[in-house]
């Protein structure tokens, strides 16, 4: 099973100390439980995606994901994949040139291509499916693995994914999940259509505090009301309870995937410790989810 660790780029104005803090967290998890890749998101200023959420800190520009990827690769010896918002490029050729430079200068071989955050905005660059096709056919970017993001709860998501697979997507990462139903329904629809991608990485995030939860909701992460009530009933237990729920969700996904007829993508995890999550919690979760996957494969 592939295990990916997400590392958010530091804010630029915080300087070298903030960069070193990111590297220390990645190194601590890697020393405890080695991961296969580091996944680096690209952060832009966006509106709230849920009226239940809250963001207390204003947006600040961050280090470019490809620059952080190069540093992690050189200093820690861990390969990285980066997220990149393709619609902000002023032309299709600009995207291809960016990808070629990223491949050559930064050594990045895996990219998760992302669309715009506002439906009402007309962006200058290509959409995700078109970007997939451009980079799949581009000269000078050999061996590139192309990923996209999926939102299992979104209507007709399997059809969207099938289109992107047809355009060149190799794998998908999900939004952060705390329940399995939407994901399992999406897998079944992909199987029925015969258009499953090679791999899907399921994103999980332990929750440290009520404030942490509110920020996740601001990002658009779905947390059912009954689960939210259970999580926040005792703030001293939020982290442990969120980890319990992640275990249940992953196990349900594995159990339900075994009932779906092929084609079914390989399943892995993308651990996204947003906020002040101790590295030991992330490393422990990585071990437990990998063990559950191994047990599930043995049961086939």
């Amino acid at each position: 099973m592939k295990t990916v660790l997400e590392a958010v780029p530091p804010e630029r104005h915080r300087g070298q100390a903030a960069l070193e803090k990111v590297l220390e967290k990645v190194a601590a998890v890697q020393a405890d439980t080695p991961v296969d890749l580091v996944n680096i998101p690209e952060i832009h200023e966006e509106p709230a995606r849920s009226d239940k959420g809250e963001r207390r800190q204003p947006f600040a520009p961050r280090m470019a994901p490809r620059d952080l990827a190069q540093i992690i690769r050189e200093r820690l010896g861990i390969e990285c994949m980066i997220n990149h918002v393709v619609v902000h490029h002023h032309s299709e050729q600009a995207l291809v040139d960016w990808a070629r430079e990223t491949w050559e200068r930064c050594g990045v071989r895996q990219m998760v291509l992302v669309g715009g955050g506002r439906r009402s905005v007309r962006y200058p660059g290509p959409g995700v499916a078109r970007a997939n096709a451009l980079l799949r056919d581009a000269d000078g970017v050999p061996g590139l693995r192309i990923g996209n993001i999926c939102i299992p709860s979104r209507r007709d998501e399997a059809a969207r994914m099938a289109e992107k697979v047809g355009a060149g997507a190799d794998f998908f990462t999900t939004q952060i999940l705390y329940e399995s139903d939407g994901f399992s329904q999406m897998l079944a629809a992909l199987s029925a259509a015969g258009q499953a991608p090679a791999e899907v990485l399921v994103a999980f995030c332990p929750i440290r505090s009520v404030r942490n939860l509110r920020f996740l909701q601001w990002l658009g992460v779905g947390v059912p009301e009954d689960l939210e009530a259970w999580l926040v009933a005792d703030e001293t237990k939020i982290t442990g309870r969120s980890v319990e729920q992640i275990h249940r969700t992953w196990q349900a996904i594995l159990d339900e995937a075994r009932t779906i007829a092929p084609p079914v993508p390989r399943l892995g995890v993308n651990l996204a410790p947003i906020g002040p999550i101790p590295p030991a919690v992330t490393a422990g979760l990585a071990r437990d989810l990998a063990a559950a996957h191994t047990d599930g494969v043995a049961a086939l």
Side-chain angles (χ1 to χ4, degrees), residues 48-284:
R49 299 188 180 185
S50 168
D51 56 10
K52 296 185 68 175
E54 179 183 17
R55 179 177 188 167
R56 295 187 181 182
Q57 297 293 331
F59 171 79
R62 293 177 179 268
M63 173 182 280
R66 64 181 184 176
D67 293 338
L68 178 58
Q70 183 177 9
I71 293 170
I72 289 175
R73 184 167 178 263
E74 292 174 351
R75 294 205 18 202
L76 302 180
I78 310 172
E79 295 298 324
C80 297
M81 66 183 189
I82 64 171
N83 288 235
H84 185 60
V85 181
V86 296
V87 296
H88 289 166
H89 285 280
H90 60 78
S91 70
E92 293 184 347
Q93 187 59 48
L95 169 62
V96 174
D97 291 344
W98 174 90
R100 185 178 296 117
E101 180 184 355
T102 300
W103 191 96
E104 292 174 350
R105 178 171 67 81
C106 304
V108 174
R109 304 294 186 263
Q110 302 194 49
M111 301 177 186
V112 178
L113 307 182
V114 185
R118 294 180 171 95
R119 293 183 180 179
S120 60
V121 174
R122 187 179 183 88
Y123 294 97
V128 172
R130 176 59 179 160
N132 290 347
L134 286 168
L135 297 192
R136 178 60 63 217
D137 296 336
D139 293 330
V141 195
L144 179 67
R145 291 194 77 230
I146 298 173
N148 295 163
I149 292 175
C150 65
I151 303 175
S153 61
R154 185 164 58 183
R155 184 178 180 182
D156 297 328
E157 187 67 358
R160 296 170 189 262
M161 293 173 69
E163 177 190 5
K164 293 170 183 175
V165 170
D170 298 301
F171 68 97
F172 286 80
T173 61
T174 73
Q175 69 176 162
I176 293 169
L177 300 183
Y178 292 103
E179 55 183 349
S180 65
D181 291 351
F183 184 86
S184 299
Q185 292 168 10
M186 182 187 76
L187 278 190
L190 284 169
S191 174
Q195 289 282 356
E199 182 178 53
V200 177
L201 302 172
V202 185
F204 295 117
C205 175
I207 300 171
R208 181 70 181 271
S209 64
V210 172
R211 179 177 177 178
N212 193 202
L213 172 60
R214 295 289 176 258
F215 181 66
L216 290 169
Q217 291 173 319
W218 185 89
L219 292 173
V221 176
V223 181
E225 290 187 3
D226 56 344
L227 174 60
E228 179 182 350
W230 177 66
L231 288 171
V232 304
D234 184 344
E235 188 159 2
T236 65
K237 297 180 180 179
I238 287 181
T239 301
R241 289 183 174 184
S242 70
V243 169
E244 287 178 32
Q245 182 63 21
I246 289 169
H247 288 162
R248 283 192 289 267
T249 300
W250 180 235
Q251 188 63 58
I253 285 172
L254 294 175
D255 291 344
E256 291 157 2
R258 289 201 296 269
T259 70
I260 299 172
V264 179
R266 297 188 305 274
L267 298 180
V269 297
N270 175 44
L271 299 179
I274 298 173
I277 306 299
V281 171
T282 304

